[in-house]
Amino acid sequence: MCWRPLCRFLWLWSYLSYVQAVPIHKVQDDTKTLIKTIVTRINDISHTSVSARQRVTGLDFIPGLHPILSLSKMDQTLAVYQQILTSLPSQNVLQIAHDLENLRDLLHLLAFSKSCSLPQTRGLQKPESLDGVLEASLYSTEVVALSRLQGSLQDILQQLDLSPEC
């Protein structure tokens, strides 16, 4: 009888018995903290605010405020904002785009804890009108995107308290 595999298994088993999963409330608290951090970063950029209800011609591809009811919808909305922010040449929004990626990872953990998986939304197609809009009105695109993102993040923060579905 070969004892070596059995010893390795027992050693691994003893190690795994000490490893504990991160409590889901900790993940939810980290998600809320990251949302508040992103909102603070948006405020620090100090652009003029744009009303979420105001229509800006040519920027309809930027998601507006709407009641977000599911983790999947939250992830899809954040993916669109991430795509838009990474397309902007401004250094102001680069950290926010990275924060959105981390926020989406936390949402995936929350979804996993509910035994559901979010559809893979990485590598979305860039909206067709984005390049033209960026050439015509870069500053307006950044202002509107950040203003609407801030509103969406506030909605997501409220929804997290209600324990959203998949």
Side-chain angles (χ1 to χ4, degrees):
M1 182 170 186
C2 187
W3 291 97
R4 207 168 220 186
L6 179 60
C7 289
R8 284 184 188 166
F9 174 74
L10 290 175
W11 177 81
L12 181 62
W13 184 260
S14 66
Y15 175 75
L16 290 176
S17 67
Y18 290 107
V19 176
Q20 296 180 359
V22 177
I24 197 61
H25 65 81
K26 175 74 171 125
V27 174
Q28 191 166 6
D29 289 345
D30 289 347
T31 305
K32 290 177 183 180
T33 301
L34 183 54
I35 289 172
K36 292 174 185 175
T37 301
I38 296 170
V39 169
T40 301
R41 287 179 200 225
I42 292 171
N43 288 335
D44 289 346
I45 293 175
S46 71
H47 286 302
T48 56
S49 182
V50 176
S51 170
R53 292 186 175 91
Q54 184 177 359
R55 284 300 224 198
V56 181
T57 306
L59 299 178
D60 295 333
F61 60 89
I62 300 174
L65 293 179
H66 55 280
I68 300 171
L69 302 174
S70 67
L71 292 170
S72 177
K73 186 65 176 167
M74 290 177 194
D75 184 55
Q76 290 171 1
T77 301
L78 293 175
V80 171
Y81 281 114
Q82 186 180 4
Q83 184 70 37
I84 293 167
L85 294 181
T86 55
S87 298
L88 295 171
S90 172
Q91 292 299 315
N92 293 334
V93 298
L94 189 59
Q95 182 60 50
I96 295 171
H98 291 300
D99 289 341
L100 288 180
E101 183 173 353
N102 293 333
L103 181 56
R104 291 181 60 219
D105 288 340
L106 288 171
L107 288 177
H108 282 260
L109 282 174
L110 289 173
F112 180 76
S113 74
K114 295 178 181 244
S115 299
C116 58
S117 62
L118 300 181
Q120 193 65 276
T121 53
R122 299 197 194 281
L124 290 175
Q125 293 288 355
K126 189 186 322 185
E128 294 174 13
S129 58
L130 182 58
D131 288 332
V133 169
L134 289 178
E135 288 177 19
S137 58
L138 179 64
Y139 180 76
S140 297
T141 304
E142 184 176 326
V143 170
V144 171
L146 290 176
S147 180
R148 290 183 186 174
L149 172 61
Q150 188 172 19
S152 292
L153 289 171
Q154 297 291 354
D155 283 347
I156 290 172
L157 193 58
Q158 290 174 350
Q159 290 293 322
L160 287 174
D161 289 331
L162 302 174
S163 187
E165 297 298 318
C166 297

